[in-house]
Amino acid sequence: TLEQAGAALEDEDQGTPILLSFSSLPNAVAFMQPAVVSGRVRDVNKVAKFSRVTVQAQIWRVLVNPKLKALAGYTVVFVPVDPVLAEVPDE
């Protein structure tokens, strides 16, 4: 389901999607809000937190703190992400 998926940029050259990642919740909101409002990203209602160790262990390709213009030329896709790997929210 989309609840267990991470927003990513499809990379046809490398074949492996690039997960959108953020160093803080405010950075995630600053990106996602205009991305969703503009229709570039759909069906996102949660942002999970993962440790750096987890990201490295999963061998995920990530783009940290992207600007909205990073979406240009890419298709946004959703890739499976195991929610068990997520950190406990600290909100």
Side-chain angles (χ1 to χ4, degrees), residues 42-71:
R42 294 188 171 99
D43 301 320
V44 173
N45 63 7
K46 296 178 187 172
V47 177
K49 179 179 176 181
F50 296 92
S51 72
R52 181 175 294 173
V53 171
T54 297
V55 171
Q56 291 170 336
Q58 296 301 308
I59 315 174
W60 290 331
R61 292 177 63 206
V62 296
L63 180 58
V64 180
N65 296 327
K67 303 294 183 203
L68 192 58
K69 65 183 178 182
L71 298 178

Side-chain angles (χ1 to χ4, degrees), residues 7-90:
L9 303 178
E10 186 173 53
D11 186 352
E12 295 177 4
D13 295 333
Q14 295 290 323
T16 304
I18 306 165
L19 284 167
L20 302 175
S21 63
F22 306 92
S23 59
S24 68
L25 183 56
N27 286 342
V29 171
F31 175 86
M32 284 296 186
Q33 190 172 38
V36 169
V37 169
S38 70
R40 291 296 318 244
V41 176
R42 294 188 171 99
D43 301 320
V44 173
N45 63 7
K46 296 178 187 172
V47 177
K49 179 179 176 181
F50 296 92
S51 72
R52 181 175 294 173
V53 171
T54 297
V55 171
Q56 291 170 336
Q58 296 301 308
I59 315 174
W60 290 331
R61 292 177 63 206
V62 296
L63 180 58
V64 180
N65 296 327
K67 303 294 183 203
L68 192 58
K69 65 183 178 182
L71 298 178
Y74 287 98
T75 300
V76 176
V77 296
F78 290 92
V79 296
V81 175
D82 186 349
V84 172
L85 298 174
E87 301 290 312
V88 176
D90 55 358

